[in-house]
Amino acid sequence: LKSFDQSNNLSFHIAFTEISSNIRGKHWRVDSDRNNCYIHSIDKNGDCKYKFIWIKEIIEDIKPTHVVLGGWRTRFYKDIYKFSKSKDIRTGFWFEPPNYTLNKITQYVLYLYAKFVVNNADFVFSIGDRSEMYYKKILKNPQNVYLLTYGQNLDDFRQIPENFFLDDITFLFSGQ
């Protein structure tokens, strides 16, 4: 996050719609020193309407060029999607692959529902190649599905001597 924060060409905000807790993985918890800077965490649990009003105020205040949603199956996400699109904000999703352990009928119903809800998204960040293949079949413009890998094996890089690099190197690592 700090690498993003230092960029002159990019600003970003993250909004957590669930209260931060120890139940959530450490990487999903909110640092109190970052809260209200570019990480926003809802102040109390509430219903979909409460969450929508809260996130709508953030969108109106920040005026983002893009909104990335982490879900699509609840009314809450559909309302945010519609609101963002009404403000001419490029809106898309961050998706893992679907749950292939569900029975075939449920998978098919969810596929049809996703095709209806997600079809006109401006973009999808697909996490993993199975997700990429799945959402390319759903999006009206499949070229707007972008693959994000789960992680990288960095073992080979750990063998590079510390003095190998003459200048500082900055890169973004996404994964576990």
Side-chain angles (χ1 to χ4, degrees):
L1 293 178
K2 289 180 182 174
S3 295
F4 275 131
D5 203 30
Q6 294 169 2
S7 171
N8 293 330
N9 299 329
L10 175 70
S11 68
F12 71 97
H13 290 257
I14 300 170
F16 289 107
T17 56
E18 300 291 331
I19 293 192
S20 185
S21 73
N22 288 334
I23 295 170
R24 192 186 286 165
K26 187 175 181 181
H27 61 289
W28 287 116
R29 284 187 236 146
V30 177
D31 285 340
S32 58
D33 65 327
R34 292 188 193 161
N35 206 14
N36 295 325
C37 176
Y38 51 84
I39 296 181
H40 311 270
S41 188
I42 200 162
D43 57 346
K44 67 178 183 177
N45 283 325
D47 61 9
C48 287
K49 183 177 179 182
Y50 177 78
K51 290 177 182 181
F52 173 70
I53 291 168
W54 179 79
I55 199 80
K56 181 180 164 191
E57 288 173 359
I58 292 174
I59 291 170
E60 287 174 334
D61 182 48
I62 296 169
K63 296 175 181 46
T65 58
H66 294 70
V67 169
V68 182
L69 302 171
W72 58 272
R73 289 170 47 183
T74 66
R75 173 72 189 243
F76 168 67
Y77 287 114
K78 286 183 259 182
D79 288 346
I80 296 170
Y81 181 83
K82 282 176 28 181
F83 175 75
S84 297
K85 295 297 278 181
S86 75
K87 298 287 186 184
D88 291 324
I89 298 170
R90 292 195 51 153
T91 307
F93 299 91
W94 171 283
F95 284 145
E96 298 227 15
N99 184 351
Y100 291 111
T101 63
L102 298 172
N103 69 57
K104 297 291 183 195
I105 293 172
T106 303
Q107 285 183 44
Y108 185 68
V109 168
L110 287 173
Y111 172 80
L112 292 176
Y113 185 55
K115 202 162 175 68
F116 174 72
V117 174
V118 178
N119 183 357
N120 289 315
D122 293 311
F123 57 89
V124 167
F125 295 137
S126 62
I127 306 168
D129 56 346
R130 288 184 308 164
S131 177
E132 178 188 30
M133 290 185 305
Y134 184 82
Y135 289 103
K136 279 189 172 189
K137 293 177 191 170
I138 289 176
L139 233 59
K140 182 170 49 176
N141 297 310
Q143 73 275 9
N144 293 337
V145 175
Y146 303 96
L147 173 65
L148 301 178
T149 60
Y150 272 103
Q152 296 80 27
N153 182 349
L154 299 178
D155 290 340
D156 292 337
F157 295 100
R158 290 192 177 102
Q159 298 171 19
I160 297 173
E162 287 184 33
N163 61 356
F164 179 78
F165 299 106
L166 301 176
D167 297 320
D168 289 340
I169 294 178
T170 303
F171 64 92
L172 170 67
F173 176 74
S174 170
Q176 299 180 13

